[in-house]
Amino acid sequence: MAGFNPADMMRLKKNFQRFQADHPRVVAFFQAIRGDVEEGTIVEIKVTTPEGKERITNMRLNPDDVETLNHLIH
């Protein structure tokens, strides 16, 4: 695994701030569910392309996932 790169972290922070500005409903959704996220919670993700092609997946959260999500959406 590569070492910590401060420039990459700054880019990631800037990109996340832009994502928050561009998609406030998504950010608000994650903030709203923060108290409901616990080990065993299932998160489902659906992607629909402009052509209508759909892909769906899900995952059952483990303790590390919960910790990561809570840090991202605090």
Side-chain angles (χ1 to χ4, degrees):
M1 182 170 172
F4 173 77
N5 183 332
D8 287 343
M9 292 301 294
M10 291 302 292
R11 259 190 305 279
L12 179 61
K13 181 180 179 183
K14 182 179 178 183
N15 288 347
F16 187 68
Q17 288 171 336
R18 184 174 37 233
F19 181 88
Q20 288 176 306
D22 290 346
H23 308 287
R25 289 182 7 193
V26 173
V27 175
F29 172 79
F30 279 107
Q31 289 171 339
I33 66 163
R34 184 172 186 223
D36 298 329
V37 175
E38 59 184 280
E39 181 179 357
T41 297
I42 297 174
V43 174
E44 184 171 279
I45 301 170
K46 176 181 175 182
V47 174
T48 305
T49 68
E51 296 80 23
K53 183 178 179 181
E54 293 182 352
R55 300 243 177 167
I56 301 171
T57 191
N58 64 55
M59 63 182 169
R60 185 177 308 273
L61 300 180
N62 64 39
D64 291 334
D65 299 329
V66 172
E67 181 180 354
T68 300
L69 282 174
N70 283 334
H71 277 79
L72 288 173
I73 60 179
H74 73 279

